[in-house]
Amino acid sequence: MKNIFKTSALALVLAGSLASCDDFLTVDPVDKPVMESYYVTPEALRSSTSTIYSAKTWSNFHMNFQWKMDMINGDMYYTYGAEGQWFFGTYTPINQYINEGWKGLYNVILFCNSIIHDIVPICGGTITEADKTQALAEAHAIRGYCYYVIAEVWHDAPIVENNSETISSGNFDLPRNTQASIYRFAMDDLDFAVANLQPSNADAWRLDVRKARALRAKLGVTMAAHKDYGYDREALYKKAADDALYCIENTEALTSIDFATLFDVDKNNSPESILAIQCGSLGYGNGRTTAWSRSDLLADEQWGGGKGPTISLQQSYERNDLRRKWTFMKNGDFYPGLSKANGGYTYKIVNRMDGQDTPVEDRNEMNAHVKKYIVGKNADTGGLSGTMQDAANNIYLMRLADVYLTYVEAVMGTADATSDATAMKYFNMVRQRAGLSEPSSVTYAELLKERRCELAFESQTWFDTQRLR
């Protein structure tokens, strides 16, 4: 009930705190002849579409907004300043992080719209129709994902389909579309992507039809959870199940992928990754090591001493869950990849080194700290962390375990439980990787709990809470 209340409270504040249309409609003018002489090779077009995956394009969203959702859903404890407002679910009108999230998502949409309406139409030279179709499909897929997130966070919001056309019209007074219509728009985008993407891509980080179907599956179960929008819920669940199963059957088995290393720099774009913000270009990369790390033993710059897993989250994990250690740190946990200069890092609630009376690291209110996404100091990562308050490990927007659990949800549909053999096979593969027992059936409440343990600190649990039936 607390989560549902906080969700409603945030939606109201977000609706009243929207940035002006100018903030997400403004685009820098580009000389047309230069554009037309540039987009004449497939490489130039692919260079353009790479921007919709880059951390720089997503920077306002992932640096200043995305992970705050782990506080609103009750997974992360932190109570100070504007960030702390997210934990309590009470926001002042000047909370800057809300505005950054809004601008951040519409900035990505601007890039997608530019590819769809401004770049692809002027392509020439050796760029083929297949090249153009691929570019369009990637842009539609990313735009569809962004509108899915906007619908989940703000509920009603403007749909900006063509920035250039809107700017040319001079009419920036855009109405808000309903959440139901935004979902439909996102589904149209993902339908286009699924119909036009290739089965595979030479760049592991780019979308292909398999990954687009995974994204569509998540949108499908989200839409189907709404009883009052007039959707054909059974058809949506069936479509989502088919999409998720296609992705699962055409991807390396989850049980062959090590959960412990999923969030390290050297595991970027592994088979687990469905869609991830590409953080290899430092300066706009992953800021979680800085924002979440406990002390300068773990990061060159840090302010995460007060952050930690809530008691509720800690109690969600079964005793032998292998994911727990790689999600948050508890007393006695050892991490060889952190603080390598000291032979690794052992977490202590209060850390006194060499018998000193003054703690090097003091306790926080949760007696635990976050581990997921924390990769260590610059020296621990070969120069890929710490010097610019970011790191090069990618940020997942969707990963394979999510697809497995989405399939179970889709098969369950409107029922309260399932014992379907295929659904239980994939549910239990998630648990098998975690070192846990494998039941013969699962309830909806148990599925949500499994999702929380698997996806903690990945900004997913809040969306799951909103689908609560």
Side-chain angles (χ1 to χ4, degrees):
M1 181 62 69
K2 180 182 178 184
N3 278 338
I4 294 173
F5 172 77
K6 290 201 293 186
T7 295
S8 300
L10 178 59
L12 289 173
V13 173
L14 292 175
S17 304
L18 306 184
S20 71
C21 291
D22 290 348
D23 288 334
F24 60 88
L25 290 174
T26 303
V27 60
D28 293 330
V30 180
D31 186 72
K32 185 176 179 181
V34 173
M35 289 183 68
E36 291 179 342
S37 63
Y38 178 74
Y39 291 105
V40 294
T41 66
E43 292 75 22
L45 182 56
R46 287 175 73 83
S47 175
S48 178
T49 55
S50 71
T51 60
I52 60 178
Y53 301 89
S54 76
K56 184 175 182 180
T57 303
W58 288 84
S59 58
N60 283 335
F61 173 73
H62 75 78
M63 287 181 178
N64 301 312
F65 180 85
Q66 184 189 26
W67 62 264
K68 309 299 189 300
M69 290 188 283
D70 294 306
M71 298 168 68
I72 186 68
N73 67 39
D75 284 355
M76 183 181 291
Y77 175 85
Y78 191 65
T79 62
Y80 301 102
E83 289 183 351
Q85 293 175 15
W86 292 77
F87 179 76
F88 293 112
T90 55
Y91 310 88
T92 61
I94 59 171
N95 187 298
Q96 69 269 31
Y97 302 112
I98 296 173
N99 188 47
E100 293 300 311
W102 171 265
K103 291 193 301 183
L105 287 167
Y106 276 105
N107 185 61
V108 181
I109 290 169
L110 182 152
F111 275 79
C112 293
N113 285 341
S114 181
I115 291 167
I116 295 167
H117 298 290
D118 302 326
I119 293 175
V120 169
I122 65 166
C123 285
T126 60
I127 297 175
T128 66
E129 289 302 316
D131 295 328
K132 296 178 185 178
T133 299
Q134 175 70 21
L136 289 172
E138 289 181 69
H140 277 281
I142 299 292
R143 188 176 71 175
Y145 175 84
C146 288
Y147 275 116
Y148 153 72
V149 176
I150 287 170
E152 289 295 275
V153 176
W154 283 276
H155 297 185
D156 298 348
I159 292 176
V160 184
E161 188 173 0
N162 186 333
N163 293 75
S164 297
E165 186 177 88
T166 303
I167 292 168
S168 297
S169 72
N171 180 18
F172 301 145
D173 187 18
L174 300 180
R176 296 180 192 174
N177 296 80
T178 64
Q179 185 183 50
S181 64
I182 297 173
Y183 285 145
R184 290 191 183 96
F185 185 84
M187 182 61 79
D188 287 344
D189 266 346
L190 288 168
D191 285 343
F192 180 92
V194 169
N196 290 284
L197 283 168
Q198 296 299 313
S200 62
N201 202 302
D203 296 322
W205 44 271
R206 288 183 184 270
L207 289 169
D208 54 30
V209 65
R210 169 182 57 93
K211 295 178 179 181
R213 291 190 69 171
L215 297 176
R216 192 170 69 174
K218 172 60 72 68
L219 177 60
V221 297
T222 300
M223 295 174 68
H226 289 272
K227 302 175 183 179
D228 55 346
Y229 281 177
Y231 299 142
D232 186 337
R233 299 177 69 205
E234 294 296 335
L236 283 168
Y237 278 127
K238 175 63 168 59
K239 182 178 180 179
D242 291 344
D243 281 341
L245 187 61
Y246 178 88
C247 179
I248 292 167
E249 291 180 339
N250 289 279
T251 309
E252 182 177 328
L254 186 77
T255 46
S256 67
I257 305 170
D258 186 4
F259 183 91
T261 60
L262 277 181
F263 303 89
D264 295 344
V265 176
D266 60 355
K267 294 302 179 181
N268 283 348
N269 305 313
S270 73
E272 179 89 14
S273 183
I274 300 300
L275 178 60
I277 299 172
Q278 301 296 302
C279 294
S281 178
L282 293 178
Y284 293 92
N286 189 339
R288 282 140 174 85
T289 283
T290 296
W292 295 354
S293 284
R294 175 189 196 185
S295 76
D296 58 11
L297 291 176
L298 301 179
D300 296 291
E301 299 171 285
Q302 54 73 34
W303 45 81
K307 299 181 177 76
T310 61
I311 299 300
S312 172
L313 178 64
Q314 293 183 48
Q315 292 175 342
S316 295
Y317 286 80
E318 297 173 47
R319 181 178 298 274
N320 299 318
D321 194 325
L322 299 176
R323 297 170 296 196
R324 198 279 307 159
K325 175 181 176 181
W326 303 103
T327 302
F328 58 87
M329 307 178 190
K330 293 186 70 175
N331 201 46
D333 289 341
F334 176 71
Y335 301 95
L338 301 178
S339 195
K340 290 180 181 178
N342 297 309
Y345 178 77
T346 298
Y347 183 87
K348 300 176 183 179
I349 294 175
V350 178
N351 188 6
R352 291 182 173 87
M353 298 182 68
D354 301 325
Q356 297 175 359
D357 290 335
T358 302
V360 176
E361 298 175 314
D362 213 341
R363 66 178 292 273
N364 67 2
E365 288 87 341
M366 300 296 102
N367 288 332
H369 284 84
V370 180
K371 168 60 180 76
K372 188 176 281 188
Y373 280 122
I374 291 177
V375 295
K377 305 178 77 165
N378 201 42
D380 296 326
T381 61
L384 295 175
S385 174
T387 60
M388 301 181 72
Q389 301 182 9
D390 64 351
N393 52 328
N394 290 343
I395 300 168
Y396 294 106
L397 297 176
M398 189 174 193
R399 59 183 177 87
L400 188 59
D402 192 352
V403 184
Y404 277 53
L405 297 174
T406 297
Y407 175 73
V408 179
E409 184 173 348
V411 170
M412 190 180 298
T414 58
D416 294 326
T418 186
S419 58
D420 176 87
T422 306
M424 292 312 302
K425 171 186 174 182
Y426 293 121
F427 180 79
N428 285 327
M429 286 178 73
V430 175
R431 290 181 58 83
Q432 181 184 342
R433 183 168 72 168
L436 300 175
S437 62
E438 301 175 24
S440 58
S441 63
V442 60
T443 67
Y444 185 67
E446 290 167 340
L447 175 61
L448 288 182
K449 180 181 177 182
E450 195 66 38
R451 288 185 58 85
R452 186 183 189 189
C453 293
E454 177 70 29
L455 300 167
F457 307 132
E458 297 180 53
S459 306
Q460 296 293 329
T461 307
W462 184 38
F463 294 166
D464 295 345
T465 301
Q466 292 188 94
R467 294 200 305 280
L468 184 64
R469 299 199 293 262

